[in-house]
């Protein structure tokens, strides 16, 4: 899913962050671990705010490794594992990439969950069960949300409102890519959610429903900047956008407000995975425990702008802090459908967009 690509550009808590030297443990030890994450501000935020706290708590030094946020990383891992020279002990994977890695085999190692008791703080959905058992522990998440201009329209109660031309004719901004979320929103609103995406007939029915929406769309956006500018200048009055960025824009005084309609917003997430062949299983377990702690989840929400994977009541986040990055209910993307039937979905989607 492309929603992961934006995390490297996240502005929350990242402005002015420079590459930093990781903190040394309080007591000199030889324990260390290499952790991969997406570069730029995202990685810098981990190096500045998260890894030093882990080192302070455990004495385990962290070497931060920049990794791609795409399936390209799987190619790198395949070559490295085959050569016996793995680049990281832990990698950060989106769920779809994690599914691919599990299907390929011998890229990510099964986890000993008895050593990762902190994962019990997470919903079981965020502990990924691969072909070889548990292979991923949720790290953080983010939302693609319904947004609207509060100066122009009332708060929509449902995604179904977007199909009402009396409210939104030629005024919506929606993601153009087939896997940008609109299929998932539509499936959750008018069908049986991800289950409907598992058959060709279901996919066709969802895309036909999206086609009914076309007269209300002013912008099919592929870059964040397009939607941002269109909301600022009033070309669109509602649509889908990233929750945290929308809140940042609102704080800057622009006419945009995110909301959680009754069907929910799309929640994507990343997971920590242990690289096959790593001899740092114990250190990885300690880091995954640390990451799963409510205090760490709250730290990441405050400093990186990601949504926590633990219940808000377990954290010390204020309502405002929590609502800035998260909410309910959540719609889970149809990951397996996008992987198993990508060509049919993409071709059907592109044909729908091309039709006048």
């Amino acid at each position: 899913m492309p929603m992961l690509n934006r995390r490297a550009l996240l502005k929350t808590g990242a402005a002015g962050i420079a590459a930093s030297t990781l903190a040394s443990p309080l007591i000199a030890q030889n324990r260390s671990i290499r952790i991969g994450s997406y570069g730029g501000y995202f990685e810098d935020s981990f190096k500045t705010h998260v890894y030093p706290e882990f080192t302070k708590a455990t004495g385990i030094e962290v070497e931060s490794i920049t990794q791609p946020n795409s399936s390209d990383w799987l190619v790198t891992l395949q070559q490295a594992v085959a050569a016996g020279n793995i680049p990281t002990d832990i990698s950060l994977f989106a769920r779809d990439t994690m599914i691919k890695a599990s299907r390929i085999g011998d890229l990510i190692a099964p986890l000993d969950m008895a050593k990762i008791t902190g994962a019990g703080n997470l919903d079981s959905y965020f502990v990924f069960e691969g072909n070889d058992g548990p292979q991923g522990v949720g790290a953080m998440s983010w939302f693609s949300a319904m947004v609207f201009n509060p100066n122009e329209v009332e708060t929509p109660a449902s995604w179904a409102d977007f199909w009402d031309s009396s409210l939104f004719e030629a005024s919506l901004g929606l993601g153009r890519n087939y896997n940008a979320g609109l299929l998932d929103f539509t499936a959750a609103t008018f069908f049986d959610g991800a289950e409907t995406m598992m058959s060709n007939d279901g996919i066709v029915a969802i895309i036909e429903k999206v086609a009914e929406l076309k007269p209300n769309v002013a912008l099919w956006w592929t870059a964040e900047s397009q939607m941002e500018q269109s909301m600022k200048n009033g070309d669109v009055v509602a649509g889908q956008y990233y929750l945290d960025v929308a809140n940042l824009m609102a704080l800057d005084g622009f006419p945009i407000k995110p909301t959680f309609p009754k069907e929910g917003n799309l929640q994507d997430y990343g997971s920590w995975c242990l690289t096959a062949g790593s001899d740092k299983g114990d250190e990885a377990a300690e880091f995954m425990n640390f990451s799963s702690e409510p205090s760490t989840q709250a730290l990441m929400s405050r400093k990186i702008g990601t949504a926590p994977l633990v219940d808000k009541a377990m954290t010390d986040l204020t309502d405002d802090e929590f609502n800035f990055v998260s909410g309910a209910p959540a719609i889970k993307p149809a990951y397996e459908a996008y992987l198993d039937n990508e060509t049919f979905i993409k071709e059907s989607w592109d044909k729908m967009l091309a039709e006048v």
Side-chain angles (χ1 to χ4, degrees):
M1 300 289 283
M3 287 171 278
L4 266 173
N5 297 343
R6 56 181 291 281
R7 305 310 306 176
L9 302 177
L10 186 64
K11 293 181 282 186
T12 304
I17 294 175
S20 62
T21 301
L22 297 178
S24 299
L26 298 178
I27 300 175
Q29 298 185 31
N30 295 323
R31 303 180 73 199
S32 63
I33 191 166
R34 295 165 298 167
I35 301 177
S37 66
Y38 318 125
Y41 291 142
F42 188 69
E43 182 183 6
D44 286 342
S45 296
F46 269 95
K47 290 164 66 176
T48 301
H49 300 293
V50 179
Y51 298 154
E53 292 300 317
F54 172 66
T55 300
K56 185 187 302 182
T58 64
I60 299 172
E61 294 270 15
V62 175
E63 179 184 354
S64 183
I65 305 294
T66 302
Q67 65 166 88
N69 50 354
S70 69
S71 295
D72 292 345
W73 189 236
L74 296 184
V75 177
T76 300
L77 283 183
Q78 279 183 292
Q79 296 170 344
V81 169
N85 186 26
I86 60 175
T88 65
D89 300 298
I90 294 176
S91 292
L92 181 61
F93 283 158
R95 188 178 178 97
D96 62 333
T97 308
M98 195 163 44
I99 294 171
K100 290 180 183 178
S102 180
R103 291 178 177 179
I104 292 171
D106 299 325
L107 292 182
I108 51 178
L111 301 171
D112 184 353
M113 298 308 295
K115 296 181 179 179
I116 312 175
T117 56
N121 294 321
L122 313 179
D123 185 288
S124 60
Y125 174 76
F126 298 114
V127 177
F128 175 71
E129 289 282 342
N131 293 331
D132 299 320
Q135 291 184 291
V137 172
M140 77 295 287
S141 71
W142 49 90
F143 284 86
S144 179
M146 174 184 283
V147 298
F148 65 100
N149 183 331
N151 299 329
E152 297 292 337
V153 295
E154 297 293 328
T155 305
S158 166
W159 286 101
D161 292 347
F162 281 3
W163 275 256
D164 186 345
S165 294
S166 68
L167 296 174
F168 294 109
E169 183 176 8
S171 61
L172 296 175
L174 300 172
R176 183 180 181 84
N177 293 332
Y178 72 97
N179 53 1
L182 186 53
L183 288 177
D184 299 284
F185 295 138
T186 306
T189 302
F190 298 103
F191 301 94
D192 294 324
E195 182 178 344
T196 308
M197 293 279 289
M198 298 308 294
S199 71
N200 285 1
D201 288 345
I203 291 165
V204 169
I206 295 169
I207 290 176
E208 287 177 347
K209 189 64 182 179
V210 173
E212 298 174 8
L213 190 62
K214 289 172 68 175
N216 291 354
V217 180
L219 172 69
W220 292 100
W221 61 273
T222 56
E224 285 186 52
S225 57
Q226 294 172 317
M227 182 60 175
E228 176 182 343
Q229 191 57 48
S230 293
M231 287 295 298
K232 287 179 177 179
N233 61 26
D235 288 342
V236 302
V237 300
Q240 64 178 109
Y241 202 46
Y242 301 111
L243 176 65
D244 51 353
V245 179
N247 277 317
L248 285 171
M249 289 175 60
L251 286 177
D252 286 340
F254 294 106
I256 185 172
K257 183 177 181 180
T259 185
F260 275 72
K262 64 181 183 180
E263 300 84 10
N265 286 321
L266 196 69
Q267 183 181 28
D268 206 352
Y269 78 102
S271 290
W272 303 117
C273 297
L274 176 64
T275 306
S278 170
D279 61 357
K280 299 288 186 176
D282 288 342
E283 288 82 359
E286 290 195 51
F287 179 74
M288 292 178 191
N289 271 322
F290 173 81
S291 174
S292 300
E293 286 296 320
S295 59
T296 306
Q297 290 286 305
L299 174 68
M300 289 191 288
S301 292
R302 290 187 174 108
K303 298 299 185 180
I304 308 178
T306 53
L309 297 181
V310 300
D311 189 89
K312 174 183 176 294
M314 299 176 67
T315 75
D316 63 348
L317 292 170
T318 67
D319 289 344
D320 286 344
E321 288 174 328
F322 180 81
N323 292 336
F324 195 87
V325 296
S326 190
I331 297 172
K332 296 177 175 64
Y335 298 102
E336 285 79 6
Y338 288 115
L339 287 174
D340 295 339
N341 210 0
E342 180 179 12
T343 299
F344 180 79
I345 295 174
K346 186 177 186 302
E347 289 179 351
S348 301
W349 174 265
D350 289 344
K351 179 180 177 182
M352 179 274 295
L353 287 181
E355 291 174 345
V356 178

